[in-house]
Amino acid sequence: MKTFQKPVLTENEAEKALDTAIAIVRQNLPMFTHRCQNHSSVNDVYPACENDQWTCGFWPGEVWLAYERTGEDAFRSTALTLVESFLARIENKVAVDHHDMGFLYSPSCVAAYKLTGSEAGRRAAILAARQLCTRFQEKGQFIQAWGAMGVADNYRYIIDCLLNVPLLYWASEETGEEGFADIAHRHVATCLAHSIRPDGSTYHTFFMDPVTGGPVRGATCQGYRDDSCWARGQAWGVYGTALSYRYAKKSEYLNAFRRVLGYYLERLPSDMVPYWDMTFGDENGAGEPRDSSSASIVACGLLEAAKYVPQQEAEQWRTLAGQMLKSIADGYAVQNGPEGVGLVRHGTYSKKSPYNTCTPEGVDECVSWGDYFYMEALTRYLKDWKLYW
Ligand code: GLY
């Protein structure tokens, strides 16, 4: 596996980086207590939005991480106010006809339940897990990502869903109902069978046949081309396989982690923060935006997977995470700014290419999940963190 001759973040630097992030979260509380944070910033400052985006769970996740470190009541009370809004959202089925229930409900409501025993958080998260199960397609054995169920041009899953299935593992443990975890395992098996190419790169989305249930083809939405490798999809692959290994302890999940990580490392530019698609590297990336959020997501995956392997490999993975975090903290993290400012610059939500199908949004901006995973990775780096996932 590729190694890098770069310094790692020291413990002292990690403490300072996390406290800098928490100071910005504290400053932004008034703006995002009764409204949510938009998926991406505009010139590094987030507009407020209603609780109707797939990304609304990340801001409460940041507030919970800030609460864990400081114990300050302002964080706890804001996060619990947001939990009420998440309960109303799932009870009233507001913008939940997609697979992103884990992204929404793990860092907001599972976190609330684990940290405070919030019954509203528990109820909301279990309802969200039930909603996620309604997206499962028996024919093809996958959780359908978007759109009306069963329609041929939406009969697909996407690699991002590896971060939604931990909500199902949690719901199984919490309720004793094995059906949740069963759907998670069946989806992950389908995903690992088709989404990872022989060289360890990944397809963003994968179509299945609604009649036979067989694999049809890989395609991109947010990556550069169908046959390229979208950086964040690869990062979801790294962290998602580590999380599924945590719950299932299936060796094939850890093997998938190694393959996906191996490709990711090979395609990193010298500062270890990827371009938005891994078709771009040091040799041809000039003028292309980065996606700093991918680096934080991968750091979380490395720190999770390092718990389950022999010492030498674990050390290697912790070193890689420390190097990535040093690069983000020194070169990408925001130090201060006006109310609403984000935590990490140079994320990319969706960049249009001549070949992809996305709506362009949040290019070279702070992105809500990039901020959250940066805080999660720093927290993981500093202590044995009890997961929200
Ligand atoms: N899950 C959508 C994204 O990563 O942009």
Side-chain angles (χ1 to χ4, degrees):
M1 194 155 288
K2 187 171 173 184
T3 55
F4 295 78
Q5 299 307 311
K6 309 279 278 184
V8 298
L9 197 69
T10 65
E11 191 177 333
N12 194 30
E13 288 170 335
E15 305 250 6
K16 273 168 96 172
L18 187 53
D19 288 338
T20 299
I22 288 172
I24 294 173
V25 172
R26 188 185 289 111
Q27 166 192 290
N28 290 346
L29 288 178
M31 194 165 166
F32 305 123
T33 295
H34 300 289
R35 300 196 71 201
C36 289
Q37 183 182 69
N38 195 54
H39 48 67
S40 48
S41 65
V42 178
N43 299 324
D44 297 339
V45 175
Y46 289 101
C49 69
E50 296 311 309
N51 194 345
D52 60 5
Q53 301 182 358
W54 72 271
T55 51
C56 290
F58 297 114
W59 163 255
E62 291 167 49
V63 179
W64 283 126
L65 289 168
Y67 172 65
E68 270 200 65
R69 180 157 169 84
T70 64
E72 285 174 33
D73 193 52
F75 293 122
R76 178 186 160 107
S77 84
T78 286
L80 287 174
T81 299
L82 288 162
V83 164
E84 294 300 329
S85 154
F86 278 81
L87 178 58
R89 178 170 175 174
I90 192 68
E91 283 182 335
N92 297 310
K93 300 253 170 89
V94 177
V96 293
D97 52 349
H98 54 78
H99 70 151
D100 284 322
M101 295 305 108
F103 282 122
L104 282 168
Y105 283 87
S106 297
S108 58
C109 293
V110 174
Y113 176 57
K114 287 187 176 178
L115 294 175
T116 71
S118 162
E119 276 306 318
R122 181 182 186 278
R123 175 172 159 70
I126 289 173
L127 286 174
R130 294 201 193 288
Q131 173 68 16
L132 183 53
C133 291
T134 69
R135 307 286 308 176
F136 187 70
Q137 294 288 9
E138 285 289 341
K139 206 158 259 180
Q141 301 283 297
F142 67 96
I143 296 171
Q144 186 180 319
W146 307 309
M149 290 295 283
V151 178
D153 64 357
N154 267 319
Y155 210 74
R156 63 172 154 178
Y157 67 86
I158 72 175
I159 194 159
D160 319 30
C161 194
L162 289 175
L163 269 283
N164 288 319
V165 297
L167 180 68
L168 301 179
Y169 300 130
W170 170 81
S172 252
E173 286 181 359
E174 192 57 32
T175 63
E177 293 176 38
E178 284 173 15
F180 291 114
D182 184 51
I183 284 180
H185 293 312
R186 288 196 276 159
H187 174 85
V188 173
T190 304
C191 180
L192 299 190
H194 306 304
S195 295
I196 306 176
R197 305 184 185 108
D199 64 359
S201 67
T202 54
Y203 290 112
H204 177 199
T205 88
F206 205 95
F207 284 95
M208 306 295 282
D209 188 316
V211 177
T212 67
V216 177
R217 69 184 172 94
T220 202
C221 173
Q222 286 157 273
Y224 183 68
R225 269 191 329 235
D226 286 349
D227 62 355
S228 72
C229 177
W230 179 46
R232 197 161 57 260
Q234 196 73 10
W236 295 138
V238 170
Y239 193 15
T241 50
L243 285 172
S244 272
Y245 184 79
R246 173 191 179 87
Y247 287 100
K249 299 291 186 309
K250 295 191 183 193
S251 59
E252 62 265 32
Y253 294 178
L254 206 47
N255 291 339
F257 172 88
R258 290 191 180 93
R259 291 174 58 212
V260 176
L261 175 67
Y263 181 90
Y264 178 86
L265 296 177
E266 288 297 331
R267 291 303 302 153
L268 279 183
S270 53
D271 78 347
M272 302 180 80
V273 174
Y275 289 95
W276 67 283
D277 190 287
M278 304 202 99
T279 202
F280 303 111
D282 277 335
E283 71 289 358
N284 64 350
E288 294 293 336
R290 305 293 181 117
D291 178 36
S292 56
S293 73
S294 295
S296 294
I297 294 162
V298 168
C300 290
L302 286 161
L303 294 170
E304 180 61 28
K307 297 174 186 170
Y308 312 113
V309 294
Q311 193 181 352
Q312 196 185 354
E313 197 171 32
E315 277 309 311
Q316 199 186 348
W317 291 352
R318 286 199 195 96
T319 298
L320 285 165
Q323 291 168 322
M324 290 172 194
L325 283 172
K326 169 102 178 134
S327 183
I328 305 166
D330 287 358
Y332 293 77
V334 173
Q335 299 304 312
N336 53 57
E339 190 178 12
V341 76
L343 305 184
V344 186
R345 293 195 177 87
H346 306 302
T348 292
Y349 180 5
S350 294
K351 183 171 190 299
K352 193 81 192 99
S353 85
Y355 313 105
N356 71 16
T357 57
C358 71
T359 306
E361 307 216 58
V363 175
D364 201 18
E365 287 287 349
C366 303
V367 291
S368 195
W369 60 91
D371 293 355
Y372 167 78
F373 286 108
Y374 175 59
M375 287 184 70
E376 182 187 308
L378 290 170
T379 304
R380 283 176 168 279
Y381 199 63
L382 287 168
K383 69 172 188 180
D384 186 12
W385 180 64
K386 194 170 168 217
L387 276 67
Y388 305 161
W389 300 100

